[in-house]
Structure formats: C-alpha cells, structure tokens
Amino acid sequence: MQKLQQLYEGKAKKVYATEDPNVVIVSYKDDATAFNGQKKGTITGKGAINNRMTNNLMRRLEAAGVPTHYIQELNDRETAVKKVSIIPLEVIVRNISAGSFAKRYGVAEGIVFDQPTFEFSYKNDDLGDPLLNTSHALALRLATREEIDLIHTYTMKVNDLLKGFLKEIGIDLVDFKLEFGKTADGQIVLADEISPDTCRLWDEKTHEKLDKDRFRRDMGGAEEAYEEVMRRLMGEQ
Ligand code: UDP
C-alpha cells in the first residue's frame, strides 16, 4: 500500500491518502502534548508503541464484535485504516476517579466506582474540549440519537473487554477516551487510538502510573512506562 499526499497532521499522528479513496494510512509520531497543546515534548519510541498497542487491541475488539477502522499494520509506525469522518465527540469512560473528574468534583484520585461513568467532550481545541451531554450533542447536530445510542453500546462493550485484557497483565483501567467515525457507507466504527496516551493505566498492585500522566505531571519515566505496558501486552519481543 502506497502513501500518497498528507491529508492531515494532528498532535500525535499524521494521516496520508492512498490509491483507495476509502483507505488512509495513519503514521504515529513521538510528539507528546498535554493541556490542549500548551505542554509539548517527545516520548521516544511512543509512536511505535502506540501504533502496535492500538492495533493489537483493535484486532481483539473487532474479533469480539466491536466494528473498528483497523485494516492492516504496515510497519512499526504506520497502519492502514478505513477512511472515516470523525464524529467530534471525545467519549470518556471512568472506572476509578482521576484527572479532571477528581478536580471537577473535588474528590481524591483512586476511588473505585460501583459502575463506570460515561461522558462526552466536544472535540474542539479552540474551545478546550468542553464537557457536553447528549442533548447538547443533539442540539449541535454532532450525531443523531441512533448514533449516540450505538456509540454508548459499543463504548460500554469496549470498557468491559479492555478491562479484562488489561487485568490479565496486572493493569487496572482507570479511564480512557475513545473516538468514533463514520465510513463512506454510513457505518459507525471505533477509530483513533487506544494507548497510554488515551488511557490511564495503573499497576494493579503498586498503583504505579503507566501512562501519559508521567509526562503531564513531569514525573519522569514515561518512556519506560510505555515500554512496560507494551512488554506486558505483547510479551518480550
Ligand atoms: N483523554 C484523551 N484526550 C483528551 C482528554 C482526555 O485521551 O483530549 C483521556 C485521558 O488520557 C484520560 C481520560 O481521557 O485517560 C480522561 O481524561 P480527563 O477527562 O481526566 O482529562 P485530563 O485529566 O487528561 O485533562
């Protein structure tokens, strides 16, 4: 599969056209940003880890009945995916309090919820990705009610599956962000990435942070944390 012109460059990935109008190639960068792009840096090796981890999880989710944009891993950093128009909703699920939830509601991090929370942010950097509910999403015509229902169903299934995959390797899934897209034929599929950039992952025993919070909070050891998650997920290689 040939990479043609670059269509888009985001904070962590570039997207290229291919000869097939329904297929694009995603290329993962080592660039890291936080706080809506205000903090910038590099996590060496992150691009390759996020590419391979996302693909590993997308294949397992697809096999379990969640439609995804994944087509084929091309090399360490690049993957062919279905071309979609991204629905501008960041879908966030939380199993344990952390990050903006802890801040917004004035609670400690680490409270295990009786059931997961489900929330949307409006994917809009200029506005700082504000929190919004279903009626707001409908008012803004970001998606239809049927699409939102489907996104909710898929997301809850993804949470159950991911929690299980990660528990097997001694990791608690604290929270994560998903994005969905619409294919040319109107199908809603899971898109974007599932990686330590987009999930909070804590070691189940030590509660050590194995995710982008190490970069956000200047804790050091981000590279090692990403490598550790990869090593546990894929085995030594
Ligand atoms: N998240 C993300 N991209 C964003 C915002 C959040 O991938 O633009 C992920 C984040 O890594 C975490 C979860 O969504 O796993 C919940 O993030 P939160 O709302 O707590 O925001 P943060 O504290 O990261 O600002």
Side-chain angles (χ1 to χ4, degrees):
M1 198 160 305
Q2 269 306 99
K3 253 188 343 200
L4 301 179
Q5 80 276 16
Q6 185 178 306
L7 297 175
Y8 171 80
E9 176 162 10
K11 288 183 283 234
K13 298 187 278 299
K14 294 179 187 176
V15 180
Y16 296 89
T18 67
E19 315 84 64
D20 184 335
N22 294 317
V23 178
V24 294
I25 293 175
V26 178
S27 179
Y28 286 71
K29 306 190 285 185
D30 284 355
D31 298 353
T33 62
F35 312 119
N36 200 17
Q38 288 172 55
K39 181 179 167 74
K40 289 195 172 72
T42 302
I43 301 175
T44 307
K46 170 173 94 76
I49 289 174
N50 287 3
N51 180 43
R52 293 170 64 215
M53 177 169 169
T54 295
N55 294 341
N56 176 290
L57 294 172
M58 290 271 184
R59 285 191 293 261
R60 291 157 75 169
L61 293 171
E62 185 89 50
V66 178
T68 77
H69 72 162
Y70 176 79
I71 300 175
Q72 189 194 357
E73 187 167 295
L74 301 174
N75 57 53
D76 252 19
R77 274 176 198 277
E78 294 177 336
T79 296
V81 299
K82 292 178 191 161
K83 183 167 186 172
V84 297
S85 58
I86 292 285
I87 295 170
L89 292 171
E90 299 201 336
V91 184
I92 294 174
V93 174
R94 303 174 192 272
N95 297 302
I96 300 177
S97 65
S100 67
F101 182 95
K103 205 168 191 176
R104 191 183 316 131
Y105 301 117
V107 296
E109 295 201 313
I111 301 165
V112 179
F113 300 145
D114 295 336
Q115 51 187 61
T117 68
F118 177 89
E119 77 200 41
F120 295 124
S121 293
Y122 181 21
K123 190 173 151 65
N124 184 318
D125 281 341
D126 294 339
L127 300 176
D129 297 343
L131 186 70
L132 92 181
N133 66 25
T134 297
S135 68
H136 299 149
L138 292 172
L140 293 168
R141 302 209 171 120
L142 304 180
T144 65
R145 188 174 293 279
E146 292 68 31
E147 287 167 349
I148 289 177
D149 287 348
L150 203 50
I151 287 170
H152 181 263
T153 303
Y154 289 155
T155 298
M156 288 301 143
K157 188 162 179 182
V158 169
N159 185 42
D160 286 341
L161 290 162
L162 283 184
K163 267 198 301 191
F165 300 156
L166 291 161
K167 201 69 194 168
E168 281 170 26
I169 56 171
I171 291 174
D172 283 332
L173 177 60
V174 174
D175 58 28
F176 60 96
K177 184 259 310 179
L178 300 178
E179 294 182 23
F180 289 86
K182 213 187 219 183
T183 60
D185 56 9
Q187 202 198 0
I188 299 283
V189 297
L190 180 60
D192 196 47
E193 65 179 284
I194 307 171
S195 73
D197 271 13
T198 62
C199 303
R200 283 196 172 92
L201 306 169
W202 293 355
D203 181 273
E204 68 172 350
K205 291 210 178 73
T206 65
H207 297 158
E208 188 189 359
K209 296 186 196 308
L210 299 172
D211 57 59
K212 200 165 102 176
D213 272 348
R214 302 201 76 89
F215 168 79
R216 290 190 191 99
R217 302 179 187 190
D218 293 318
M219 298 168 74
E223 281 85 359
E224 292 77 7
Y226 280 63
E227 280 161 18
E228 174 64 17
V229 174
M230 186 69 181
R231 189 188 61 73
R232 290 197 205 178
L233 195 67
M234 320 269 284
E236 295 286 356
Q237 41 186 304

